[in-house]
Amino acid sequence: MLDNYEKFLDIFTQDIQAMFEHQKDYIYCKEGCSHCCEYGEYPFTEIEFLYLIEGYKKLTPDTKNKIKENFKSTVKDKDGYYVCPFLINKKCSVYSNRALVCRTFGLLNKESDGTVNGPFCGKLGLNYSNVYDKETKRLLMDVIEKNHYKNLPRVFNLNIDNIRTLELVKELGIEFGIQKSLYDWLEEYFSN
Ligand code: SF4
Ligand code: SF4
């Protein structure tokens, strides 16, 4: 099951890299920036969680203990957001096995109600902060026109419900399974 998911990831990750490249005028991601791993719910489907755990199992005992400690001390804020327990020294400890949301975060995404959702780090002066108003959820068309960017901002449809319907997913027979927050998956995993 995970073999086919890995095949899917190889292709899909290339597609995502192409999306980031296309949008590079608006992207501020760089090594050491980890705000998106410090504040989120991290919705993972079952297959994504199983794949993440495959990566976890390969870590050294010290790193695994650190992750467990991180999880034990995780505190959710009033919105249910928290620091991902896999983040160690501002780096993902399971980078090759990270979930889809970890790979796609930072782009403009279409919500199920049709509105444009910009990444929260825009509020920190990062992705799309030059062309997207997070309060009104609107692209700043006058700014975009004035600046003659190479490519216009593009809104992608990277919701899991859309990903489930991709031809590639069907071809490879991938069943993503239910979706829960990473916290809920880990609570179950560490209690067994
Ligand atoms: S998505 Fe935002 S917070 Fe995450 S690495 Fe990129 S710029 Fe930083
Ligand atoms: S799994 Fe890795 S990339 Fe995903 S939120 Fe956690 S630390 Fe960040």
Side-chain angles (χ1 to χ4, degrees):
M1 180 172 72
L2 288 180
D3 285 353
N4 272 8
Y5 179 62
E6 215 160 32
K7 281 185 197 155
F8 163 75
L9 273 184
D10 283 346
I11 298 169
F12 193 60
T13 303
Q14 284 177 34
D15 291 347
I16 296 165
Q17 280 165 356
M19 293 174 197
F20 274 96
E21 179 61 25
H22 182 270
Q23 296 287 277
K24 66 181 179 191
D25 282 335
Y26 318 108
I27 300 295
Y28 294 74
C29 300
K30 61 173 189 212
E31 207 176 323
C33 183
S34 58
H35 297 290
C36 47
C37 305
E38 292 170 23
Y39 184 70
E41 275 185 295
Y42 320 108
F44 283 28
T45 57
E46 190 172 8
I47 201 166
E48 291 173 89
F49 182 68
L50 292 175
Y51 190 64
L52 188 93
I53 290 300
E54 285 301 301
Y56 170 77
K57 285 179 185 164
K58 291 178 194 152
L59 298 172
T60 63
D62 279 357
T63 309
K64 282 188 199 163
N65 283 338
K66 176 73 184 144
I67 292 163
K68 278 189 204 163
E69 277 168 28
N70 286 348
F71 179 66
K72 272 191 212 149
S73 57
T74 295
V75 180
K76 291 188 195 176
D77 77 359
K78 62 177 176 32
D79 298 316
Y81 289 5
Y82 51 93
V83 179
C84 176
F86 292 91
L87 187 69
I88 299 178
N89 296 330
K90 296 203 167 277
K91 280 193 182 160
C92 177
S93 53
V94 282
Y95 190 76
S96 309
N97 292 62
R98 69 202 190 285
L100 296 177
V101 69
C102 313
R103 295 168 200 256
T104 58
F105 190 84
L107 294 165
L108 291 177
N109 194 28
K110 195 181 195 176
E111 293 294 280
S112 42
D113 64 3
T115 54
V116 178
N117 190 16
F120 79 88
C121 63
K123 276 190 180 172
L124 307 173
L126 298 171
N127 288 8
Y128 294 96
S129 54
N130 46 348
V131 293
Y132 176 78
D133 183 342
K134 189 85 183 132
E135 300 305 327
T136 59
K137 293 194 163 195
R138 282 179 193 283
L139 286 163
L140 307 171
M141 294 314 294
D142 50 336
V143 178
I144 293 164
E145 276 161 25
K146 252 188 253 163
N147 282 283
H148 306 291
Y149 294 111
K150 184 165 175 244
N151 295 310
L152 291 175
R154 185 181 287 175
V155 182
F156 299 93
N157 194 342
L158 295 163
N159 293 315
I160 190 65
D161 289 342
N162 186 48
I163 292 173
R164 284 180 205 267
T165 66
L166 296 177
E167 276 309 310
L168 179 62
V169 169
K170 288 183 202 161
E171 272 168 32
L172 292 169
I174 294 166
E175 297 288 343
F176 281 94
I178 59 165
Q179 190 184 50
K180 297 199 275 192
S181 81
L182 176 60
Y183 185 94
D184 291 347
W185 284 117
L186 285 176
E187 196 170 42
E188 199 178 309
Y189 181 74
F190 286 138
S191 69
N192 287 326

